[in-house]
C-alpha cells in the first residue's frame, strides 16, 4: 500500500499552520468588517441626530412647515428674542441679493412692514434685508449646508441612502414635490417652494440638488 505525503518538503504540520493562519486572517477580516459596519451605523445615527437637533435645521423646517408663526432670533448683541414671520418674510428673506424687495413674487407693499419703517425714517429699503430676513438667510444657509453634508456622507457610504430617505421622507415630499389642488400642504405653496428652489440654484447648493435627485426629486 502506497502512502502519499506532501511533496517539496512540506509536512502536515506546515499545511495545518498555513490553514489556521488563513482561517485566522479570514476571521480577523470578518471582525474588522463587523466592527467597521457597527462604527458606520453609529456614525450615521449620530449624524442624523445632530442634523435634527441643529437649531438652524429646526428653525428652517418650522418656517417651511408653518404658514406663519414665531421664531427665536439672536440679534447683534447676542440677545435672543421672539420674532413673528409671515409668508412675505419668507420670500423677502430668500430672494437673491440682486433682487429688490418689490420684485419678489406675491409682493404687497402694504404687507412689508420693514419697508414702511424705513420709508418713515427716510432710509432706502429696496435692496436691504431686515434683521429677521438676514437671520432667516443664515438659518437656511446652515440648513442647506447640513443637507449637503448628508449627501457627502451618503456618497462616502457612511449614511445609508434608504435609511435617510425613510427619516426625511416627509420633507422630501414637502420640498421636492410640486403641489396640486388635492394636496393638504397648502402651507408650503408652489410660490414658496419656488422661492426656496431658486435660492438653492442661485447660491449653488449642488449637493442639495444631488440629494433630492437620489429620491427622484428634481429641484
Amino acid at each position: 500500500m502506497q502512502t502519499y505525503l506532501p511533496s517539496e518538503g512540506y509536512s502536515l504540520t506546515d499545511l495545518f499552520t498555513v490553514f489556521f493562519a488563513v482561517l485566522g486572517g479570514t476571521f480577523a477580516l470578518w471582525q474588522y468588517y463587523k466592527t467597521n459596519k457597527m462604527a458606520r451605523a453609529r456614525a450615521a445615527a449620530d449624524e442624523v441626530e445632530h442634523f435634527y437637533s441643529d437649531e438652524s435645521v429646526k428653525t428652517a423646517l418650522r418656517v417651511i412647515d408653518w404658514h406663519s408663526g414665531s421664531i427665536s432670533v439672536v440679534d447683534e448683541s447676542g440677545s435672543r428674542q421672539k420674532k413673528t414671520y409671515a409668508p412675505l418674510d419668507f420670500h423677502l428673506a430668500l430672494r437673491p441679493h440682486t433682487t429688490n424687495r418689490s420684485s419678489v413674487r406675491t409682493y404687497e407693499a402694504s404687507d412689508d412692514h420693514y419697508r414702511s419703517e424705513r420709508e418713515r425714517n427716510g432710509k432706502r429699503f429696496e435692496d436691504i434685508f431686515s434683521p429677521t430676513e438676514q437671520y432667516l438667510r443664515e438659518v437656511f444657509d446652515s440648513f442647506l449646508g447640513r443637507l449637503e453634508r448628508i449627501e457627502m456622507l451618503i456618497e462616502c457610504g457612511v449614511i445609508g441612502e434608504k435609511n435617510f430617505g425613510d427619516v426625511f421622507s416627509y420633507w422630501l415630499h414637502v420640498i421636492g414635490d410640486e403641489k396640486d389642488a388635492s394636496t393638504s400642504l397648502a402651507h408650503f405653496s408652489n410660490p414658496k417652494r419656488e422661492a426656496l428652489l431658486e435660492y438653492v440654484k442661485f447660491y449653488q447648493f449642488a449637493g442639495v440638488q444631488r440629494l433630492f435627485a437620489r429620491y427622484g426629486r428634481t429641484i
Side-chain angles (χ1 to χ4, degrees):
M1 179 177 179
Q2 187 175 5
T3 302
Y4 293 93
L5 296 175
S7 60
E8 302 297 332
Y10 290 104
S11 66
L12 286 174
T13 301
D14 293 331
L15 290 179
F16 277 120
T17 300
V18 171
F19 171 76
F20 283 112
V22 171
L23 185 63
T26 302
F27 179 74
L29 285 173
W30 178 81
Q31 282 284 82
Y32 171 79
Y33 172 79
K34 181 179 178 182
T35 302
N36 198 39
K37 185 177 181 181
M38 292 174 63
R40 290 201 306 272
R42 284 194 297 270
D46 288 346
E47 184 62 33
V48 173
E49 181 179 353
H50 292 157
F51 174 80
Y52 278 109
S53 63
D54 185 285
E55 192 69 29
S56 292
V57 172
K58 290 192 292 185
T59 300
L61 294 181
R62 179 179 178 82
V63 172
I64 287 172
D65 207 33
W66 289 80
H67 184 265
S68 58
S70 62
I71 54 175
S72 182
V73 177
V74 179
D75 62 22
E76 295 178 352
S77 67
S79 301
R80 186 180 293 273
Q81 51 187 296
K82 288 285 186 179
K83 293 283 189 180
T84 59
Y85 67 88
L88 181 59
D89 294 320
F90 182 90
H91 292 283
L92 290 171
L94 295 192
R95 75 187 194 272
H97 61 270
T98 54
T99 301
N100 287 335
R101 301 178 73 82
S102 59
S103 297
V104 305
R105 58 172 58 81
T106 72
Y107 183 83
E108 292 289 344
S110 58
D111 295 331
D112 189 353
H113 304 299
Y114 185 67
R115 169 180 177 162
S116 300
E117 177 188 331
R118 300 279 295 187
E119 280 187 312
R120 281 196 303 271
N121 294 301
K123 297 179 180 180
R124 78 178 202 270
F125 56 85
E126 277 286 16
D127 59 341
I128 305 297
F129 292 93
S130 74
T132 299
E133 291 159 12
Q134 291 178 34
Y135 181 73
L136 283 174
R137 288 172 73 86
E138 292 171 4
V139 159
F140 275 89
D141 281 343
S142 181
F143 167 60
L144 296 171
R146 290 302 298 254
L147 286 179
E148 292 209 310
R149 176 178 169 81
I150 293 289
E151 164 60 21
M152 179 190 70
L153 293 175
I154 292 176
E155 180 68 27
C156 294
V158 177
I159 294 177
E161 180 177 325
K162 183 180 184 304
N163 293 337
F164 184 74
D166 289 343
V167 300
F168 199 64
S169 60
Y170 173 74
W171 303 108
L172 288 172
H173 173 49
V174 171
I175 299 171
D177 295 337
E178 192 171 354
K179 311 302 179 295
D180 58 36
S182 64
T183 186
S184 61
L185 300 173
H187 56 277
F188 196 66
S189 62
N190 282 327
K192 192 173 177 181
R193 175 178 177 268
E194 288 164 11
L196 176 59
L197 301 193
E198 285 176 7
Y199 191 86
V200 168
K201 294 172 185 176
F202 187 88
Y203 292 104
Q204 300 181 32
F205 287 98
V208 175
Q209 293 178 291
R210 290 196 302 272
L211 178 65
F212 276 79
R214 286 182 180 275
Y215 303 101
R217 272 80 173 187
T218 301
I219 64 171

